[in-house]
Amino acid sequence: MKQSITVTVNGQSRSAEVEPRMLLVHLLRDVFRLTGAHVGCDTTSCGVCTVLVDGTPVKSCTMFGVQVDGRSVTTVEGLAANGAMHPIQEAFKEEHGLQCGFCTPAMMLVATALLEENPDPTEDDIRWAISGNLCRCTGYQNIVKSVQFCAEQMRQASAGAPS
Amino acid sequence: MTATEETAAESAPEKPLDWLGQSIKRKEDDRFLAGRGHYIEDIDLPNMLHMAILRSPYAHATINSIDTTEAAALPGVVAVVTGELLAQHNLAWMPTLSGDTQAVLATDKVRMQGQEVACVIAEDRYVAHDALELIDVDYEPLPAVVNPFAALEEGAPLIRDDKEGQTDNRVYHWEAGDAAATEEAFLEAHKVVAVDTHYPRSHPSPLECCGCVADLNPASHRATIYMTSQAPHAIRTVFALVTGLPEQNIQIISPDIGGGFGNKVPVYPGYVVATAASLLLGRPVKWIEDRTGNLISTGFARDFHMKGELAVARDGTMLGVRVKMLSDQGYAYADAQPSKLKAGLFHIVTGSYDLPAAHVVCDGAYTNKAPGGVAYRCSFRVTEASFLIERLVQNAAVELGLDPAELRRRNFIQPEQFPYTSATGFVYDSGDYETAMDMALEMAGYDELRAEQQRRRTEGGKLLGIGLASMTEALGAGPSRDYDILGIKMFDSAELRVHPTGKAILKLGVRHQGQGHETTFAQIVAHELGIPPDDILVHEGDTDNTPYGLGTYASRSTPVAGAAAAMVSRTLREKAKKIAAHLLEVSEDDLEWEHDRFSVKGAPSQTKTIQEIAFAAYTNHPMGMEAGLEGVHYYDPPNLTFPFATYVVVVEVDPETGEWQPIHVVAIDDCGVRINPMIVEGQIMGASPRASPWPPCRRSPSTTTATASGPTSWTT
């Protein structure tokens, strides 16, 4: 039997009737047609389906859609604002932090959650934060650099911003 | 210079820079960063059905019966496809890209764990997977052979009893080099060092699994098949041959690919069943492989058992190398190797060394394992060859008491020896191996490292390991006289259309999976024609809309399709010259080309930019000339290309536990002209960590008994 749910997705309220067994990643991809969260494994290993639920990174293949009823979900489609890229998107482009692009949305969401909590992370902090996310193209080095670049840009922006 | 000319020169826009060698940011990034990449799973067609595959839990078993009654009765299930149904349409078996056959769905037997046995087509992906549980297959397990040596023993169970005339488990026997000359060289040896090793099976494991959406339109008779394919044109030809559909009615579209690394070159049963199901049902059918299916059934890499011997003189001079190699092919030979070269380019095993004699004997064996043997982040089987020769050189250095760098230095092919013909028949184009090694040693601080290594040995604590490897890779297949897939020659192609406004679209026969083609190939055209990369759309992966090509794998795209892009650009530049001469009312001989424009010699203010010429090509072209500024070029390289490298890897080893950790890696690669250095370095940084699992001999486990049913695999 289907259940009614209402979720705030990227700041917008969305409702759906879903089977209780439907995974969050399929709710986002198949029902809401937000295809930026990908599926790379069936065992919660690869992390390419990561989205933020109430600001916390979650592997959306390991959560049911009905579990986000009344909660807030951020996907990669919610990063850019007013037609401008989010600093983390700019950073990944600047530092060549992506190749095939399949892991990228998840990596960027994990990075934004990290920077929200810790605006000045060490390399170890960054590697720990992305340790649940696999990348088969880049060897991670440029992903780490991208997060460092973003952190630097965001710190500079907040230092320059009027208080 | 007159006053008028001076003014003109001062007000002229700044000369555009040469786009070649610039680390411009990637044009393809924006859509990926926005989450708007268009991967196979993102394709959603009206009225689409979903397919799931039932796989064999046994490595080798007879199928007594398959009962699909319950599965077919589940609400939402539209069809259950078995090998028996496919056999009625002559589709139970398909050709592999190495000219062997592989089952689409098993009929008589299963020959590997994870083999495709039945498919459910349903209205919903969850229902399709539910129905798999309801299929009842009666298997009778048979002894499984998972070791290629055992497979070739007398009395081993015959794996391919379906093949007429196949009486044992041998796939091929292939030799390269000169046996007699090598024998003679070994007689002269001061020492013969040996390596007997297994370069273990691994899996490329791209993050995106394989998949397809097959849409056979019963009204238009067209088959539009979206597929995770690194080689869409070759696949279309295979599909035409397998299904009997007319080739012009098959359109293979390879959308954005979430990594390939060789894994997405072969034809997989899922593609064929989804296509057949769409044909039979008249509705689009989507199949998205799960990770387990990807790891246990699709193209693996490596799995070579290698015995190598290197003959050296007292002073370390290398005299000859001989190799006996056994390849574990799995139950089908599906490597996608050039048909003449059964073990790919493994005979590049003489490496970077002036080795006067070599003899290579390669055998392939069928086992009850997944087929594959793909070129995983390398040219065909070159990684295996490089590993073997470098291990031999290391062992020789130890046995001779020579520093491994010094032994290499004494044996490198010297710059003045190029073009150099190797003992196994390659013609190396160029190289400067010693300089590359010296750069690597200097960057690593080699002398200090050796001193530190010695100090730690005497003082205790963590030990230092210093690994050194020099590599020459043969890539860019290939000259069509030697390289083909199923008889289709390994050229590649580029079509360039410059539109009236001076913007262009470049269409290629290859298909990238993250290598940055949309940027790199735009830079090639920009270099040749001066059209900025932002004004050039690079289009790949659609057989209706790109010229025929063999695809992206084995490090071939830039040397072959990239060259085709340069060649077609030059053809258009020749035509542009004629149009410029017409516009400027001068002879072609009076024109000279610079960056993006033709100018009249001696009168540099008299110019026509490529954009002006493009507009004229459609609005004011000379009488008698064909309108437009478009062309296509098929490039057949005269030879392979031979990039080289030296890598130094420093590891710390805990003497108590044997645990080790890399602490420093230096990579010096000479890949020729770097079109986009950022992308080149990104490729190397991405590939290097992939090498780390082999030294500790991590491998993909496979079934060891006939009844093993737990899918177990890991990736490297």
Side-chain angles (χ1 to χ4, degrees), chain A residues 13-28:
Chain A
S13 180
R14 307 282 296 260
S15 296
E17 298 272 321
V18 296
E19 275 192 63
R21 69 170 174 169
M22 177 180 266
L23 300 173
L24 174 56
V25 69
H26 291 143
L27 172 71
L28 294 170

Side-chain angles (χ1 to χ4, degrees), chain B residues 533-556:
Chain B
D534 276 350
D535 289 350
I536 302 164
L537 175 72
V538 175
H539 187 60
E540 297 182 347
D542 176 349
T543 56
D544 269 13
N545 294 303
T546 56
Y548 203 103
L550 271 282
T552 294
Y553 45 86
S555 308
R556 65 182 299 277

